[in-house]
Amino acid sequence: MRLRKLVAAAVPLPALLGLAVAVPAAAASEPLVTLADNAAPLVDSVRTGDAAADRPITAALSLKLHDQQALEKFLADVQNPASPQYHRFLTPAQFTARFGPTQADVDKAVSFLGKSGATGIEVSGNRQAITFTGSAAQLESAFRTRIGTYHDRVSGRDFFANDAAPALPAGVSDVVGGVVGLDDHAVRTHSSKAAVKPNVVKAVTPPVLKTAYGTSGLSATGSGVKVGFVEFDGYQKANITKYDSTYGLSAGSVTTVPVSGANYDSSPGDGQIEVELDIEVVHALAAAAGDYVYEAPNSSAGELAMYQKIASDHTVNVVSISWGACESAEGSSAAKSVSNAIATGTAEGISYFAAAGDDGTTDCYRQTGSTAKAVDFPASSPNVTGVGGTQLTVTSSNTYSSETAWNDGASNGSTGGGISTVFAAPSWQSSQSTTNRKVPDVSADAASGSGYYIYTAGSWETVWGTSGAAPLWAAFATLQNQVHGGGLGNLNPTFYSIGNGSSYATGFHDVTTGNNSLHGTTGFTAGTKYDQVTGWGSFKGAGLSGLIG
């Protein structure tokens, strides 16, 4: 059950690029710097007109981090057992002092926004993002681009977008990494129940998951650990309570954390099934953890604000992510801005797990109709553990029997996987012979035949997809936080070290059969150890726990 971004696309009309826009008088004489990464990904859309001048738009500036090279070295050292920096994570204040924007950077950006007429200016707690609202006319003037209305020929959806990459005065561009939210083509939707009912062989429940994946022998329950959930919809606590009581789970508290004023719990939308799936799957293995459900506006600015709040709050130890988009739909600037927020949280010891997608190796298919190979974001971020999907088979006593790559065809989906076009391969992935980041890193049950049996919106449902596998790995990481007495940060370097070592079979189920070919495109094939279908495989709970330092 993957949550998707619908993205419209089109090549901006050449004639529009020469249209003049008003320029604030104070900045008219300054040299302009074009933010090339910030062009809206308009692949298969038609421009239908100009956005109304008085249309209010909420957007955000993502400010540049300082000393990026030193940050990359710190992120490597803090996960290296041989380094004196190993697991010496930073507080938010320490991160900001070493790598974050300065107050002078913030003041420069805020001054620019104020002179442009923006209102509702809000700076994130770690100074990395500034959210604001302005009319279309004000933003056209501020960012030197027209904002048009478009029609997506694939989804049939109408949206607004900047016709060309925005530009900033040179004196401001030196502190701004990106502008997020000059379009609303990236509205997130979900597909948490497939159009076709699943052919369930055996639905998975807490007893099945604990036994099959080997966590029943662990003494940990998640107690004392806090789990964050990235959500764009709400939930009802009564449904969570029903699930817990049915399986005798002694659960911790569930708390909603509104972001930018969003709180959907009084009237959840059709994404409710995703939110409740995420929480209940974590409860299946680590019920005693405290849950923090971050709910943000369904927009690019809202998405960035949520990831920044998770990092600046530094409340949670583990984050589960089941909402995503193919990289070209997300857009390079937005992806890099969110990835910086995730890197911040990683430096503070937070572990992130994200679903790898449900459209096989053609992750853009549902958004743009493209059958080109593509991967899902934020699973492709180097500081996120991307989680693929498998078909789990168990014995009559629920013990592990086998797994194969999840591929239920076009109707019910297949596990995502492939090569990023945005992010370079991190050092710990060098053994996979690639210059760009590969996903997934690991995998777990996601098939319709072994779907997750959950209680949602007042009834029992069987739900499947990598958005069930991601919270399952987040639950395992939650147990590890308790076992090892603190945050573990980015676990990928550990997973790859184990995968390349002699203890691999102790920690992982190697999934060696199946593929993620879908929609007529040949994908990747599962094989021995790492592959771009199931990563290193699924966890052997007690075995992998003993290998994590």
Side-chain angles (χ1 to χ4, degrees):
M1 300 332 343
R2 219 29 208 116
L3 301 189
R4 298 290 181 175
K5 279 185 177 178
L6 289 179
V7 174
V11 176
L13 302 179
L16 295 174
L17 300 182
L19 291 177
V21 293
V23 179
S29 62
E30 291 186 53
L32 296 178
V33 176
T34 299
L35 304 180
D37 276 350
N38 291 254
L42 312 171
V43 178
D44 190 17
S45 304
V46 59
R47 196 179 195 276
T48 57
D50 295 328
D54 60 352
R55 179 173 191 160
I57 296 174
T58 297
L61 297 182
S62 176
L63 302 192
K64 294 178 180 178
L65 296 177
H66 286 253
D67 207 349
Q68 191 76 44
Q69 186 174 357
L71 173 57
E72 293 302 321
K73 185 179 187 305
F74 173 80
L75 291 173
D77 288 345
V78 81
Q79 296 301 148
N80 181 3
S83 170
Q85 295 297 317
Y86 183 58
H87 281 187
R88 296 182 66 179
F89 298 111
L90 303 177
T91 66
Q94 289 171 332
F95 184 95
T96 297
R98 289 180 62 176
F99 305 113
T102 65
Q103 187 59 50
D105 294 341
V106 173
D107 292 343
K108 184 182 294 186
V110 168
S111 175
F112 165 77
L113 291 172
K115 291 175 182 177
S116 300
T119 59
I121 298 172
E122 182 178 351
V123 181
S124 65
N126 55 18
R127 301 200 293 242
Q128 291 183 32
I130 305 174
T131 304
F132 59 92
T133 299
S135 68
Q138 287 171 329
L139 300 192
E140 285 179 329
S141 175
F143 299 107
R144 281 56 163 198
T145 179
R146 295 296 294 268
I147 298 178
T149 56
Y150 287 83
H151 179 74
D152 181 350
R153 288 182 283 215
V154 175
S155 68
R157 183 173 170 273
D158 296 317
F159 63 99
F160 68 84
N162 49 302
D163 295 336
L168 288 171
V172 180
S173 68
D174 62 351
V175 302
V176 174
V179 185
V180 176
L182 293 184
D183 62 80
D184 70 342
H185 69 279
V187 173
R188 294 140 191 87
T189 63
H190 68 96
S191 57
S192 50
K193 285 199 296 183
V196 179
K197 280 291 184 181
N199 180 22
V200 179
V201 176
K202 184 169 186 176
V204 294
T205 60
V208 174
L209 293 169
K210 288 177 180 178
T211 303
Y213 285 121
T215 66
S216 56
L218 296 176
S219 59
T221 61
S223 178
V225 184
K226 297 174 181 178
V227 183
F229 299 88
V230 167
E231 307 292 356
F232 296 96
D233 211 326
Y235 64 100
Q236 294 173 310
K237 286 188 178 180
N239 294 311
I240 311 301
T241 300
K242 173 72 172 179
Y243 181 86
D244 293 339
S245 62
T246 298
Y247 294 107
L249 304 175
S250 298
S253 60
V254 182
T255 303
T256 299
V257 184
V259 179
S260 299
N263 188 326
Y264 305 102
D265 297 344
S266 62
S267 183
D270 58 7
Q272 177 179 355
I273 190 171
E274 180 61 56
V275 184
E276 291 170 353
L277 168 69
D278 295 345
I279 298 170
E280 291 174 16
V281 171
V282 167
H283 282 199
L285 298 189
D291 300 330
Y292 292 79
V293 185
Y294 286 79
E295 297 180 9
N298 200 336
S299 65
S300 295
E303 176 187 42
L304 178 59
M306 174 156 48
Y307 283 100
Q308 292 290 9
K309 184 168 177 58
I310 289 171
S312 62
D313 284 355
H314 198 209
T315 298
V316 301
N317 311 99
V318 179
V319 176
S320 177
I321 308 165
S322 291
W323 301 72
C326 71
E327 288 182 327
S328 64
E330 177 75 15
S332 178
S333 177
K336 291 176 181 179
S337 296
V338 170
S339 193
N340 279 345
I342 291 171
T344 303
T346 301
E348 297 166 1
I350 302 173
S351 302
Y352 296 81
F353 294 84
D358 292 356
D359 273 301
T361 193
T362 53
D363 197 67
C364 287
Y365 182 79
R366 297 187 203 184
Q367 300 141 46
T368 68
S370 172
T371 57
K373 290 185 177 180
V375 299
D376 209 68
F377 177 83
S380 63
S381 173
N383 290 296
V384 171
T385 298
V387 185
T390 67
Q391 166 79 62
L392 173 68
T393 302
V394 299
T395 68
S396 58
S397 59
N398 295 334
T399 58
Y400 183 93
S401 177
S402 65
E403 280 174 286
T404 188
W406 166 46
N407 194 332
D408 287 336
S411 296
N412 284 349
S414 173
T415 180
I419 303 173
S420 171
T421 60
V422 176
F423 300 103
S427 59
W428 40 263
Q429 208 172 46
S430 60
S431 61
Q432 273 59 63
S433 302
T434 180
T435 56
N436 281 32
R437 166 89 162 106
K438 287 184 177 179
V439 288
D441 301 298
V442 295
S443 56
D445 180 54
S448 61
S450 51
Y452 293 83
Y453 195 55
I454 67 166
Y455 194 78
T456 178
S459 64
W460 290 96
E461 299 281 357
T462 300
V463 185
W464 66 98
T466 56
S467 65
L472 189 67
W473 266 94
F476 173 74
T478 299
L479 298 179
Q480 297 312 300
N481 268 253
Q482 183 182 356
V483 168
H484 297 285
L488 298 172
N490 183 3
L491 282 164
N492 284 339
T494 298
F495 294 153
Y496 281 75
S497 177
I498 294 169
N500 289 315
S502 59
S503 300
Y504 170 68
T506 301
F508 289 95
H509 298 288
D510 192 6
V511 183
T512 60
T513 59
N515 61 68
N516 59 0
S517 300
L518 205 65
H519 305 305
T521 298
T522 301
F524 299 91
T525 301
T528 303
K529 290 196 170 183
Y530 183 85
D531 54 69
Q532 290 157 263
V533 185
T534 62
W536 292 107
S538 62
F539 57 86
K540 295 180 179 179
L544 187 55
S545 177
L547 297 173
I548 295 175

